């Protein structure tokens, strides 16, 4: 199972590379663009660490929860047996993320933690020869990440209550935008 410190470092490097290489060259103009470039940077990090064959990156997979609800996190990272990372993204470089969007993102991460043993990824829109069906419960040391490109001061998404709930699993990545200046991390 991937160590959370390794994945945390890979997420941080992939995030900074994405912002420096793609955002600063104006190649990102939407959340989907950010998502695509971050996934590519993550895959490069896995390749550089000789982990490319042992990691799967799912873009907006369906996560079925035991209560019957379904969530669609922006990025889910798996090893061969577990979900080792879930990433929620926000892209609002000229302003702040909407409060309801933040609540939804944090709720998705909280529900993943709450139902960690019963969390399942599925692809109901696939049609073809099924190669391999996997179920991925949440790893005990999975990284639950929120990453955002936005203007203004840094958001504090983990309160004292949720910090106890998330423990050391939560990772917040920021790219704080400012007029005529490069973003700060």
């Amino acid at each position: 199972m991937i160590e959370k410190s390794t994945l945390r470092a890979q997420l941080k490097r992939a995030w900074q590379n994405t912002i420096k290489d793609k955002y600063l060259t104006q190649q990102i103009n939407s959340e989907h663009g950010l998502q695509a470039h971050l996934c590519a940077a993550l895959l490069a990090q896995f390749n550089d660490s000789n982990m490319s064959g042992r990691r799967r990156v799912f873009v907006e997979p369906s996560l079925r929860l035991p209560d019957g609800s379904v969530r669609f996190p922006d990025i889910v990272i798996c090893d061969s047996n577990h979900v080792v990372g879930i990433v929620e993204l926000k892209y609002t470089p000229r302003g702040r993320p909407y409060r309801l969007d933040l609540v939804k993102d944090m709720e998705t991460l909280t529900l993943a933690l709450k139902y960690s043993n019963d969390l399942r990824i599925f692809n109901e829109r696939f049609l073809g020869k099924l190669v391999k069906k996997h179920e991925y419960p949440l790893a005990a040391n999975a990284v639950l990440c929120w990453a955002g490109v936005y203007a203004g001061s840094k958001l504090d998404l983990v309160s004292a209550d949720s910090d106890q709930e998330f423990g050391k699993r939560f990772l917040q990545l920021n790219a704080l935008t400012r007029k005529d200046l490069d973003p700060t991390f």
Side-chain angles (χ1 to χ4, degrees):
M1 187 181 325
I2 190 170
E3 290 189 30
K4 64 183 170 185
S5 61
T6 301
L7 182 57
R8 289 172 81 86
Q10 291 169 329
L11 280 164
K12 287 177 186 177
R13 280 193 301 274
W15 178 252
Q16 290 180 354
N17 291 344
T18 299
I19 299 304
K20 290 176 183 174
D21 297 343
K22 304 302 180 186
Y23 179 76
L24 290 179
T25 57
Q26 299 179 16
Q27 295 181 54
I28 298 173
N29 61 3
S30 68
E31 189 170 304
H32 283 116
L34 176 63
Q35 185 179 44
H37 288 294
L38 182 59
C39 284
L42 268 173
L43 292 170
Q45 287 294 313
F46 298 153
N47 190 46
D48 291 348
S49 302
N50 295 318
M51 293 181 170
S52 60
R54 298 178 296 177
R55 300 288 169 258
R56 296 186 79 179
V57 175
F58 295 92
V59 176
E60 296 182 13
S62 302
L63 290 182
R64 183 170 286 151
L65 302 171
D67 65 1
S69 66
V70 178
R71 293 292 174 135
F72 302 91
D74 293 312
I75 300 170
V76 174
I77 305 159
C78 297
D79 65 12
S80 58
N81 298 310
H82 297 89
V83 172
V84 295
I86 298 176
V87 181
E88 286 288 351
L89 299 172
K90 278 297 161 271
Y91 185 78
T92 56
R94 294 178 171 265
R96 309 280 283 171
Y98 293 114
R99 185 180 182 322
L100 290 176
D101 290 338
L102 294 173
V103 168
K104 181 189 77 62
D105 287 349
M106 294 306 289
E107 186 178 82
T108 296
L109 296 176
T110 301
L111 286 170
L113 187 58
K114 178 180 177 181
Y115 295 118
S116 61
N117 292 328
D118 300 312
L119 189 65
R120 300 293 177 256
I121 295 175
F122 64 99
N123 187 353
E124 66 184 13
R125 298 192 68 183
F126 176 77
L127 183 61
K129 183 179 177 185
L130 186 60
V131 176
K132 201 175 199 183
K133 185 176 180 181
H134 285 285
E135 290 192 357
Y136 299 93
L138 192 69
N141 60 355
V143 176
L144 304 173
C145 178
W146 182 90
V149 177
Y150 58 96
S153 59
K154 179 183 170 189
L155 296 169
D156 184 15
L157 297 179
V158 178
S159 67
D161 292 338
S162 60
D163 188 37
Q164 290 177 331
E165 187 175 355
F166 284 113
K168 301 290 182 197
R169 292 179 178 202
F170 187 73
L171 173 63
Q172 183 174 335
L173 300 172
N174 307 285
L176 304 175
T177 57
R178 303 164 294 167
K179 185 174 172 66
D180 298 324
L181 295 170
D182 290 347
T184 56
F185 296 102

